[in-house]
Amino acid sequence: AEILSQFHDNGFYHGDIKPHNVLLNYSRASINYKTMTLCDFGLSSNGPANYLCSTSQYRAPEVFLGGMWAGPSDIWSLGCCFLEMLTGAKIHVDHPIFCSTDEEFLKSIGLFFGPYPDEMLTKDSHKFLKNVTKKYSFRDLFDSNLDYSVAGMAEALDLVRKMLVIDPNQRISAKNIIAELPSGIKCW
Protein backbone atom coordinates (compact mmCIF):
# COMPACT_ATOMS: atom_id res chain seq x y z
CA ALA A 1 0.00 0.00 0.00
CA GLU A 2 2.91 2.36 0.69
CA ILE A 3 4.35 2.04 -2.82
CA LEU A 4 0.87 2.54 -4.30
CA SER A 5 0.37 5.66 -2.22
CA GLN A 6 3.64 7.11 -3.51
CA PHE A 7 2.90 5.95 -7.03
CA HIS A 8 -0.63 7.44 -7.03
CA ASP A 9 0.55 10.70 -5.39
CA ASN A 10 2.87 11.16 -8.38
CA GLY A 11 0.15 10.45 -10.94
CA PHE A 12 1.17 6.87 -11.80
CA TYR A 13 -0.95 3.72 -11.80
CA HIS A 14 0.30 0.12 -11.81
CA GLY A 15 -2.38 -1.55 -13.96
CA ASP A 16 -1.59 -5.19 -13.15
CA ILE A 17 -1.58 -5.86 -9.42
CA LYS A 18 -1.88 -9.58 -8.76
CA PRO A 19 -0.11 -12.08 -6.49
CA HIS A 20 2.41 -12.94 -9.21
CA ASN A 21 3.56 -9.32 -9.13
CA VAL A 22 4.13 -9.17 -5.37
CA LEU A 23 7.49 -10.34 -4.05
CA LEU A 24 7.76 -11.37 -0.39
CA ASN A 25 10.99 -10.87 1.53
CA TYR A 26 11.40 -12.70 4.79
CA SER A 27 13.84 -13.07 7.62
CA ARG A 28 15.35 -16.58 7.77
CA ALA A 29 15.88 -16.18 11.50
CA SER A 30 12.20 -15.74 12.33
CA ILE A 31 10.53 -17.12 9.18
CA ASN A 32 8.31 -14.03 9.15
CA TYR A 33 7.61 -12.05 6.03
CA LYS A 34 9.08 -8.61 6.57
CA THR A 35 8.33 -6.73 3.37
CA MET A 36 6.30 -6.99 0.21
CA THR A 37 7.61 -5.49 -3.02
CA LEU A 38 5.48 -4.67 -6.04
CA CYS A 39 7.04 -5.58 -9.39
CA ASP A 40 6.21 -5.75 -13.13
CA PHE A 41 5.38 -2.19 -14.10
CA GLY A 42 4.89 -3.09 -17.78
CA LEU A 43 1.26 -1.92 -17.83
CA SER A 44 1.80 1.11 -15.59
CA SER A 45 0.82 4.55 -16.82
CA ASN A 46 1.48 8.14 -15.84
CA GLY A 47 -2.19 9.02 -15.72
CA PRO A 48 -5.52 7.29 -16.11
CA ALA A 49 -5.38 4.70 -18.90
CA ASN A 50 -8.19 3.87 -21.28
CA TYR A 51 -6.84 0.50 -22.39
CA LEU A 52 -7.86 -2.85 -20.98
CA CYS A 53 -5.24 -4.02 -18.53
CA SER A 54 -4.90 -6.27 -15.51
CA THR A 55 -5.56 -9.96 -15.19
CA SER A 56 -9.33 -10.44 -15.27
CA GLN A 57 -9.57 -12.00 -11.78
CA TYR A 58 -8.09 -8.80 -10.32
CA ARG A 59 -9.64 -6.28 -12.75
CA ALA A 60 -11.82 -3.54 -11.28
CA PRO A 61 -15.49 -3.34 -12.32
CA GLU A 62 -15.07 0.13 -13.84
CA VAL A 63 -12.41 -1.25 -16.20
CA PHE A 64 -14.67 -4.13 -17.26
CA LEU A 65 -17.28 -1.47 -18.02
CA GLY A 66 -14.89 0.45 -20.29
CA GLY A 67 -13.87 3.12 -17.77
CA MET A 68 -10.41 4.50 -17.16
CA TRP A 69 -7.81 2.59 -15.17
CA ALA A 70 -6.69 4.82 -12.29
CA GLY A 71 -5.78 4.71 -8.60
CA PRO A 72 -9.05 3.18 -7.40
CA SER A 73 -8.62 0.38 -9.96
CA ASP A 74 -5.25 -0.48 -8.44
CA ILE A 75 -6.92 -0.51 -5.01
CA TRP A 76 -9.57 -2.99 -6.23
CA SER A 77 -6.80 -5.29 -7.50
CA LEU A 78 -4.93 -4.96 -4.22
CA GLY A 79 -8.13 -5.84 -2.33
CA CYS A 80 -8.54 -9.00 -4.44
CA CYS A 81 -4.93 -9.95 -3.64
CA PHE A 82 -5.34 -9.30 0.09
CA LEU A 83 -8.54 -11.33 0.18
CA GLU A 84 -6.76 -14.15 -1.61
CA MET A 85 -3.86 -13.97 0.86
CA LEU A 86 -6.21 -14.04 3.85
CA THR A 87 -8.52 -16.79 2.60
CA GLY A 88 -6.56 -18.72 0.00
CA ALA A 89 -9.51 -18.28 -2.40
CA LYS A 90 -9.87 -16.21 -5.57
CA ILE A 91 -13.09 -14.23 -5.81
CA HIS A 92 -14.03 -15.27 -9.35
CA VAL A 93 -12.72 -18.84 -9.31
CA ASP A 94 -13.23 -20.43 -5.90
CA HIS A 95 -16.97 -19.88 -5.51
CA PRO A 96 -20.16 -21.28 -7.04
CA ILE A 97 -20.07 -18.94 -10.06
CA PHE A 98 -17.07 -19.64 -12.27
CA CYS A 99 -16.43 -16.76 -14.66
CA SER A 100 -15.05 -16.88 -18.16
CA THR A 101 -16.52 -13.79 -19.88
CA ASP A 102 -16.55 -10.09 -18.98
CA GLU A 103 -20.32 -10.26 -18.48
CA GLU A 104 -19.93 -13.17 -16.04
CA PHE A 105 -17.20 -11.32 -14.13
CA LEU A 106 -19.41 -8.23 -13.85
CA LYS A 107 -22.37 -10.29 -12.64
CA SER A 108 -20.14 -12.06 -10.13
CA ILE A 109 -18.84 -8.75 -8.79
CA GLY A 110 -22.44 -7.59 -8.40
CA LEU A 111 -23.40 -10.73 -6.49
CA PHE A 112 -20.55 -10.18 -4.04
CA PHE A 113 -20.47 -6.41 -3.75
CA GLY A 114 -23.56 -5.05 -5.57
CA PRO A 115 -25.64 -3.39 -6.60
CA TYR A 116 -23.98 -1.29 -9.29
CA PRO A 117 -24.57 2.46 -9.12
CA ASP A 118 -26.64 3.56 -12.15
CA GLU A 119 -24.02 6.13 -13.15
CA MET A 120 -21.46 3.34 -13.71
CA LEU A 121 -23.63 1.39 -16.11
CA THR A 122 -23.56 1.84 -19.86
CA LYS A 123 -26.63 1.30 -22.02
CA ASP A 124 -25.44 -2.21 -22.87
CA SER A 125 -24.34 -3.21 -19.37
CA HIS A 126 -27.55 -1.85 -17.83
CA LYS A 127 -29.46 -4.61 -19.64
CA PHE A 128 -27.68 -7.44 -17.83
CA LEU A 129 -26.64 -5.72 -14.58
CA LYS A 130 -29.67 -3.64 -13.57
CA ASN A 131 -31.19 -6.45 -11.47
CA VAL A 132 -27.94 -7.87 -10.08
CA THR A 133 -27.84 -7.31 -6.32
CA LYS A 134 -25.65 -8.54 -3.52
CA LYS A 135 -26.38 -12.20 -2.81
CA TYR A 136 -23.28 -13.40 -0.95
CA SER A 137 -21.33 -12.07 2.01
CA PHE A 138 -17.69 -12.64 2.83
CA ARG A 139 -18.76 -15.06 5.55
CA ASP A 140 -20.93 -17.06 3.12
CA LEU A 141 -18.05 -17.56 0.73
CA PHE A 142 -14.87 -17.53 2.73
CA ASP A 143 -15.75 -18.38 6.34
CA SER A 144 -14.39 -21.91 6.11
CA ASN A 145 -11.02 -20.47 5.00
CA LEU A 146 -10.73 -17.83 7.73
CA ASP A 147 -9.09 -18.15 11.11
CA TYR A 148 -10.78 -15.50 13.24
CA SER A 149 -8.46 -16.34 16.16
CA VAL A 150 -5.62 -14.62 14.28
CA ALA A 151 -5.08 -11.17 15.76
CA GLY A 152 -6.37 -8.50 13.40
CA MET A 153 -8.32 -10.84 11.08
CA ALA A 154 -11.67 -9.06 11.54
CA GLU A 155 -10.00 -5.67 11.01
CA ALA A 156 -8.17 -6.97 7.94
CA LEU A 157 -11.44 -8.16 6.40
CA ASP A 158 -13.08 -4.79 7.12
CA LEU A 159 -10.20 -3.11 5.29
CA VAL A 160 -10.54 -5.50 2.33
CA ARG A 161 -14.27 -4.70 2.17
CA LYS A 162 -13.36 -1.00 1.83
CA MET A 163 -11.04 -1.87 -1.08
CA LEU A 164 -13.69 -3.96 -2.82
CA VAL A 165 -16.40 -1.33 -3.20
CA ILE A 166 -17.94 -1.31 -6.67
CA ASP A 167 -18.07 2.48 -6.98
CA PRO A 168 -14.44 3.65 -7.49
CA ASN A 169 -15.33 7.05 -6.02
CA GLN A 170 -16.26 5.36 -2.73
CA ARG A 171 -13.24 3.02 -2.58
CA ILE A 172 -10.61 3.60 0.10
CA SER A 173 -7.37 5.31 -1.01
CA ALA A 174 -3.86 3.89 -0.65
CA LYS A 175 -3.08 6.51 2.02
CA ASN A 176 -6.12 5.49 4.05
CA ILE A 177 -5.21 1.81 3.71
CA ILE A 178 -1.86 2.57 5.36
CA ALA A 179 -3.62 4.39 8.19
CA GLU A 180 -5.99 1.47 8.79
CA LEU A 181 -3.62 -1.51 8.49
CA PRO A 182 -4.22 -3.92 11.37
CA SER A 183 -1.11 -4.57 13.43
CA GLY A 184 -1.77 -8.28 14.02
CA ILE A 185 -1.63 -9.32 10.36
CA LYS A 186 1.96 -10.17 9.52
CA CYS A 187 1.63 -10.27 5.71
CA TRP A 188 0.65 -6.60 5.32
Side-chain angles (χ1 to χ4, degrees):
E2 289 178 26
I3 188 70
L4 278 183
S5 179
Q6 294 172 13
F7 215 52
H8 293 170
D9 285 350
N10 288 296
F12 289 91
Y13 308 106
H14 188 276
D16 196 21
I17 296 173
K18 58 186 176 184
H20 291 86
N21 291 338
V22 178
L23 305 175
L24 300 173
N25 300 317
Y26 66 94
S27 164
R28 290 187 187 271
S30 64
I31 317 289
N32 274 333
Y33 291 108
K34 297 294 183 188
T35 58
M36 294 168 52
T37 304
L38 193 58
C39 65
D40 189 357
F41 291 85
L43 292 175
S44 63
S45 65
N46 62 342
N50 62 357
Y51 52 85
L52 190 62
C53 53
S54 179
T55 302
S56 54
Q57 288 137 341
Y58 307 97
R59 188 176 299 147
E62 63 271 17
V63 179
F64 274 114
L65 290 166
M68 300 292 272
W69 187 279
S73 310
D74 278 345
I75 299 301
W76 176 275
S77 298
L78 186 64
C80 291
C81 291
F82 282 174
L83 185 61
E84 190 172 332
M85 283 190 275
L86 291 169
T87 66
K90 294 178 183 170
I91 293 176
H92 302 291
V93 177
D94 299 325
H95 66 79
I97 305 157
F98 180 78
C99 303
S100 61
T101 67
D102 288 357
E103 186 175 316
E104 288 171 343
F105 275 103
L106 285 165
K107 285 181 180 178
S108 174
I109 290 168
L111 291 172
F112 283 99
F113 310 106
Y116 282 90
D118 285 338
E119 59 273 9
M120 281 186 70
L121 300 178
T122 64
K123 185 178 177 182
D124 290 334
S125 65
H126 191 270
K127 293 174 190 172
F128 64 89
L129 292 175
K130 67 179 177 180
N131 295 320
V132 175
T133 59
K134 186 173 181 173
K135 182 176 180 181
Y136 302 108
S137 71
F138 274 46
R139 286 191 178 255
D140 292 338
L141 294 166
F142 302 111
D143 215 29
S144 63
N145 297 345
L146 296 175
D147 183 357
Y148 286 99
S149 67
V150 172
M153 181 61 77
E155 294 87 354
L157 287 174
D158 285 340
L159 185 55
V160 168
R161 283 185 191 100
K162 293 176 184 177
M163 292 183 218
L164 298 176
V165 172
I166 285 182
D167 186 344
N169 298 315
Q170 301 299 315
R171 217 169 283 149
I172 191 169
S173 69
K175 279 185 180 175
N176 288 335
I177 291 171
I178 296 166
E180 294 188 30
L181 287 176
S183 59
I185 300 296
K186 301 288 186 212
C187 66
W188 298 90

